[in-house]
Amino acid sequence: MSQTALAPAAIGADPRTTTLADHAPLSERSQHLSPVLARYFQRTWVRGEGHRLWDEAGREYLDFACGLAVTVLGHAHPAVSAAIHAQTDQLLHMCNGLGYLPPVTELADALVATLPAPLDSVLFANSGAEAIEGAVKLARRSTGRSAIIGFSGGFHGRTYAAMSLTTSNINYRTGHGPLVPDVHISRFPSVYRGYGGDEGAAVDGALESLRRLLAEAVPPSQVAAFLIEPVTGEGGYEPAPDAFLQELRAIADQHGILLIADEVQSGIARTGRMWGFEHAGIVPDVVVVAKGIANGLPLSAIVAGTARMQAWGRGAHGSTFGGNPVSCAAGVAVLRTIREERLVENAAARGEQLMAGLRAIAAEDPRIGDVRGRGLMIGVEFVTDRDTRAPDGAIGDALIDRCADLGLLLLTCGPAHNVVRWIAPLDVTADEIDEGLAIFRSALAG
Ligand SMILES: Cc1ncc(COP(=O)(O)O)c(C=O)c1O
């Protein structure tokens, strides 16, 4: 092992007491980390507490990125940490395939309690992409059909079925083919980008695209599932209009097609409701959950009705690590905290405050073409010209870097990285929202 990889002061050192003088910045000696991973920041993160993060130089940041929509209760949340410590001492791992585990059963109950009937059967996995793979397998085998239809701009993960359904950025697919067969992409009702802000036209256009696909390319009788994010994540934080999701549900019912909601980013109270699909008043057949469910430990879930899971077939799917008891214990603490502290309501209220603040900023800044989203899932889209709505691919990454320099962590999304996304923790305070808005204003001015 090279000396740089094992700089003595950095190994086993308490990051709270080590200083820059102790070792070269980690970001400058990362030569053994694969460059395939695109990193938003060239910063090294050493500590998190509440809604604050610290880098190795001791700089403090207000964290409105939440480890990419994961740390919904912030860092080192006492209830989550206590649950993790207790379960770690009790039982760290036992494969779910070997029997039952109290925190796994408890989390399944708690998750089902947040969902409408008939969504009452949970299979745990480790990551969002893995759960999407499972949901696609569930749809195919339980319907006896093979076609899966996704929507343009969607992001579902990096594994093969998930990637084949992902069109948020061509780089994710390029050179990785052949992709999974019988996967089709229909048009997403992109209100701002596709239809000049006309929601009705966006819904009609996307439905027309779907009807043509079903009439000309894929017979509905061969379609196992529609897969959609109620609010797109990586694609640009665009909510699917309620009318579109309602019609999608109706078309699915008409043809015996399953509707899978990818709630990996929009779920767990992020949109000011527990689940993104609730805004449209629909009930999907399958819900995919990940990211925030365990506040930072790897965990995901596929939820469907028991009859649907039975139709998948015993032994048809499984995982060594899926449903790790420590992750599930954390998940139980997360759902309990959301319920007891009324964080769905907080996400809705703070989301309104943030939306109002960002719209006020946008009113004075012609570089901002659109501010949109739901609850605490808000995107600010930058354009070179408000009339043409041409995306400004130059500003996003530079702007979030400037925000970081000023102590606020935000991320970008969208194919041109021209949408700045705000993913504040669910228990964010009004003062913190004001603080974030003030820093954003300064970054825009700078
Ligand atoms: C909507 C959505 N689905 C699926 C995924 C994939 O999740 P993971 O990165 O845990 O595999 C993501 C990740 O960003 C996501 O945003």
Side-chain angles (χ1 to χ4, degrees), residues 153-155 158 163 166-177 179 234-235 414-417:
F155 181 91
R158 308 301 198 118
M163 173 182 60
T166 289
T167 49
S168 62
N169 191 317
I170 194 69
N171 188 31
Y172 303 154
R173 296 161 69 96
T174 305
H176 292 145
L179 303 182
E234 305 309 298
H417 290 214

Side-chain angles (χ1 to χ4, degrees), residues 309-376:
M309 286 286 190
Q310 272 164 351
W312 194 0
R314 189 177 170 80
H317 194 61
S319 153
T320 301
F321 291 115
N324 170 269
V326 180
S327 298
C328 287
V332 170
V334 167
L335 292 188
R336 186 182 301 132
T337 304
I338 288 175
R339 193 178 60 247
E340 289 178 356
E341 297 185 5
R342 304 183 65 80
L343 296 183
V344 178
E345 291 83 345
N346 192 63
R350 299 285 67 81
E352 272 179 31
Q353 177 193 354
L354 179 57
M355 184 72 89
L358 290 171
R359 289 207 163 134
I361 291 173
E364 293 163 10
D365 193 328
R367 293 170 296 178
I368 298 176
D370 195 26
V371 179
R372 57 175 176 257
R374 285 188 161 140
L376 286 172

Side-chain angles (χ1 to χ4, degrees), residues 125-393:
N126 301 284
S127 68
E130 188 192 340
I132 292 288
E133 298 291 317
V136 167
K137 288 169 68 178
L138 160 69
R140 283 186 163 174
R141 185 150 145 175
S142 72
T143 62
R145 306 171 175 189
S146 63
I148 309 287
I149 296 179
F151 293 88
S152 54
F155 181 91
H156 302 287
R158 308 301 198 118
T159 52
Y160 262 88
M163 173 182 60
S164 303
L165 284 150
T166 289
T167 49
S168 62
N169 191 317
I170 194 69
N171 188 31
Y172 303 154
R173 296 161 69 96
T174 305
H176 292 145
L179 303 182
V180 169
D182 218 0
V183 163
H184 310 266
I185 304 297
S186 192
R187 191 162 186 173
F188 184 85
S190 174
V191 177
Y192 178 72
R193 187 133 300 288
Y195 295 91
D198 183 336
E199 186 169 310
V203 171
D204 291 347
L207 288 173
E208 172 62 14
S209 160
L210 183 60
R211 290 199 179 103
R212 287 187 71 138
L213 186 68
L214 294 174
E216 297 167 2
V218 203
S221 60
Q222 289 175 22
V223 179
F226 298 137
L227 171 65
I228 191 161
E229 294 162 273
V231 181
T232 63
E234 305 309 298
Y237 272 34
E238 293 187 274
D242 295 345
F244 182 76
L245 291 178
Q246 289 156 5
E247 197 54 32
L248 197 60
R249 177 70 274 179
I251 296 169
D253 286 342
Q254 187 188 348
H255 298 291
I257 297 168
L258 301 185
L259 179 56
I260 307 174
D262 180 344
E263 293 273 4
V264 168
Q265 196 154 162
S266 59
I268 313 284
R270 172 65 40 210
T271 66
R273 301 268 177 91
M274 193 61 194
W275 304 105
F277 65 76
E278 288 176 30
H279 293 272
I282 58 154
V283 179
D285 300 290
V286 183
V287 176
V288 178
V289 187
K291 285 198 186 281
I293 185 173
N295 208 52
L297 290 187
L299 186 68
S300 61
I302 306 163
V303 191
T306 300
R308 178 64 49 193
M309 286 286 190
Q310 272 164 351
W312 194 0
R314 189 177 170 80
H317 194 61
S319 153
T320 301
F321 291 115
N324 170 269
V326 180
S327 298
C328 287
V332 170
V334 167
L335 292 188
R336 186 182 301 132
T337 304
I338 288 175
R339 193 178 60 247
E340 289 178 356
E341 297 185 5
R342 304 183 65 80
L343 296 183
V344 178
E345 291 83 345
N346 192 63
R350 299 285 67 81
E352 272 179 31
Q353 177 193 354
L354 179 57
M355 184 72 89
L358 290 171
R359 289 207 163 134
I361 291 173
E364 293 163 10
D365 193 328
R367 293 170 296 178
I368 298 176
D370 195 26
V371 179
R372 57 175 176 257
R374 285 188 161 140
L376 286 172
M377 187 169 184
I378 298 181
V380 180
E381 175 148 3
F382 287 85
V383 290
T384 52
D385 178 336
R386 274 187 174 170
D387 292 330
T388 65
R389 304 184 175 208
D392 185 347

Side-chain angles (χ1 to χ4, degrees), residues 357-438:
L358 290 171
R359 289 207 163 134
I361 291 173
E364 293 163 10
D365 193 328
R367 293 170 296 178
I368 298 176
D370 195 26
V371 179
R372 57 175 176 257
R374 285 188 161 140
L376 286 172
M377 187 169 184
I378 298 181
V380 180
E381 175 148 3
F382 287 85
V383 290
T384 52
D385 178 336
R386 274 187 174 170
D387 292 330
T388 65
R389 304 184 175 208
D392 185 347
I395 195 169
D397 291 329
L399 182 61
I400 61 166
D401 224 27
R402 206 145 61 231
C403 286
D405 284 341
L406 296 173
L408 171 67
L409 218 56
L410 297 173
L411 300 177
T412 53
C413 59
H417 290 214
N418 66 313
V419 180
V420 171
R421 54 176 151 170
W422 293 65
I423 329 173
L426 302 177
D427 52 357
V428 68
T429 65
D431 284 350
E432 287 168 335
I433 293 285
D434 285 341
E435 183 185 343
L437 286 166

Side-chain angles (χ1 to χ4, degrees), residues 71-86:
T71 50
V72 292
L73 302 182
H75 303 279
H77 189 280
V80 178
S81 295
I84 290 170
H85 288 145

